[in-house]
Amino acid sequence: MDREGLAAMNSLVDVQASQQSDLRHDWSVAEVEALFALPFNDLIFQAQNVHRRRFDANEVQMSTLLSIKTGGCAEDCAYCPQAAQYQTGVEADKLMSVAKVVAEAKAAKDGGASRYCMGAAWRELKDRDVEAICDIVKGVKDLGLETCMTLGMLTGPQADALAGAGLDYYNHNIDTSPEYYGEIITTRTYDDRLQTLDRVRSAGMKVCCGGIVGLGEGRRDRAGMLVTLANMAEHPESVPINMLVQVEGTPLHGTDKLEPLEFVRTIAVARIMMPASMVRLSAGRETMGDEIQALAFLAGANSIFCGPKLLTTANPTQPRDEALFDKLGLKPMPAHSHHA
């Protein structure tokens, strides 16, 4: 290797070492609360600087989310219209066929998506459904899309089967802080969620894990949720931050809405704490103005769900997102470029 090549390699090693050094796993809730309390401009400036060290600030990953099995869930998540015990008008149906899911995925790719996420309203994946789920993964992967699934709790062998089928990511949100969790869900413990995440890691898949804000939680709970995520042995590669979409018939319908700039603060703090993760501006965009979404991108969000529906709730249409991107000078992130 010549001198220029050696210098380039040494420079790359230095950059990689520097990037690894800013990945912390020892955050305290008090420290994160102090970040939240920074003057807004200072917080956004810090988050944007962190963001630019690793990502193109004007690229946003386009993901699409499909409900492959809707309704009838045995869980009691207080925010979810798919829980069987709530009267929300969501009808239970069966798992979609492989052909139907692949056709939907192809349409999403044609619409600009590079990542395809699939969700089933289950408390846990049943062994009888593993083969069909793996066939769906393989079919979507064959289209050249990055794949993600959320199917509830997993056993170790189930996680291994999904990894063997080529699933890139598994989504399993922690929703909120450990302290507030019992106010939202009683049918599954916080530790149950963490165990599934451990099984996903052990199987070799990437983790998609975030939470929901606007559940009636306080700022300390938002800090506690992010501390749980950032203090994992490995940061989740994908961190969706959802604004609660209130659905009539669920216990959280009528909850006081979170102030929009507090949502932007949550995005910014997540970016600072998890510099290398994709931070997704997730549920709730349908009711957000362009200004709040623009601030969220400035705060470090670099992924969105595109398409008119998120599982069972509304999402901005493709023309609306295209108009927003044109206003902001944003462009879709090329497939898999964030793995570089």
Side-chain angles (χ1 to χ4, degrees):
M1 181 179 297
D2 60 23
R3 290 184 179 180
E4 289 185 359
L6 183 59
M9 178 176 288
N10 288 337
S11 176
L12 178 60
V13 169
D14 289 342
V15 169
Q16 291 173 335
S18 174
Q19 289 181 337
Q20 288 301 315
S21 68
D22 67 359
L23 298 180
R24 290 183 50 190
H25 306 269
D26 59 352
W27 294 91
S28 70
V29 172
E31 188 178 10
V32 178
E33 284 184 298
L35 276 179
F36 268 98
L38 286 172
F40 187 79
N41 287 350
D42 292 345
L43 176 62
I44 299 303
F45 180 75
Q46 184 174 337
Q48 178 64 195
N49 279 334
V50 169
H51 184 58
R52 285 174 178 268
R53 286 202 294 268
R54 293 177 182 267
F55 297 102
D56 183 327
N58 297 307
E59 283 188 351
V60 177
Q61 181 194 59
M62 308 295 281
S63 303
T64 295
L65 176 61
L66 174 70
S67 179
I68 61 174
K69 190 279 172 190
T70 304
C73 184
E75 300 251 46
D76 67 352
C77 306
Y79 52 80
C80 186
Q82 300 197 68
Q85 62 185 280
Y86 306 142
Q87 302 301 311
T88 62
V90 175
E91 299 293 331
D93 60 19
K94 296 181 179 179
L95 181 66
M96 290 174 65
S97 69
V98 176
K100 176 65 173 173
V101 175
V102 171
E104 294 280 355
K106 185 178 185 304
K109 182 179 180 181
D110 292 343
S114 61
R115 187 173 194 267
Y116 203 67
C117 309
M118 296 155 278
W122 289 326
R123 182 175 185 272
E124 67 275 311
L125 176 60
K126 299 292 194 302
D127 286 338
R128 66 173 181 264
D129 294 310
V130 171
E131 183 177 355
I133 290 293
C134 288
D135 287 342
I136 288 173
V137 172
K138 292 172 185 175
V140 175
K141 286 281 288 185
D142 285 345
L143 296 174
L145 288 163
E146 185 176 86
T147 54
C148 180
M149 279 199 164
T150 179
L151 311 166
M153 293 184 290
L154 298 178
T155 65
Q158 289 170 347
D160 290 337
L162 292 174
L167 186 64
D168 297 299
Y169 284 79
Y170 193 81
N171 168 262
H172 202 60
N173 292 335
I174 56 172
D175 290 343
T176 188
S177 69
E179 293 78 16
Y180 196 66
Y181 182 85
E183 301 294 319
I184 304 300
I185 302 160
T186 67
T187 50
R188 184 189 338 185
T189 69
Y190 213 72
D191 283 343
D192 287 335
R193 292 182 181 265
L194 297 178
Q195 286 174 9
T196 287
L197 293 170
D198 286 342
R199 290 165 184 156
V200 169
R201 279 287 183 214
S202 296
M205 289 181 285
K206 296 181 176 67
V207 167
C208 175
C209 186
I212 308 170
V213 297
L215 301 171
E217 81 288 346
R219 179 176 279 185
R220 187 173 182 84
D221 294 305
R222 290 187 283 280
M225 175 188 74
L226 294 176
V227 165
T228 299
L229 297 171
N231 285 357
M232 291 177 177
E234 293 181 68
H235 293 166
E237 286 85 355
S238 175
V239 180
I241 305 295
N242 299 274
M243 177 77 89
L244 174 66
V245 177
Q246 298 191 19
V247 178
E248 188 173 355
T250 61
L252 290 179
H253 184 253
T255 300
D256 289 342
K257 293 183 178 180
L258 186 71
E259 204 280 322
L261 291 182
E262 182 70 9
F263 178 80
V264 175
R265 283 183 181 273
T266 307
I267 294 282
V269 174
R271 168 54 66 212
I272 291 166
M273 295 174 69
M274 291 169 280
S277 301
M278 302 295 296
V279 176
R280 183 170 302 111
L281 176 57
S282 199
R285 289 200 307 118
E286 172 68 10
T287 58
M288 292 180 193
D290 289 353
E291 298 83 359
I292 291 300
Q293 293 189 67
L295 285 173
F297 293 131
L298 188 64
N302 61 343
S303 179
I304 62 170
F305 282 121
C306 54
K309 199 171 184 180
L310 290 184
L311 297 178
T312 62
T313 58
N315 194 55
T317 61
Q318 183 176 344
R320 180 177 161 189
D321 280 337
E322 288 175 350
L324 176 62
F325 275 40
D326 284 344
K327 287 181 186 178
L328 301 180
L330 299 177
K331 57 189 176 183
M333 183 180 291
H336 306 294
S337 68
H338 57 285
H339 291 163

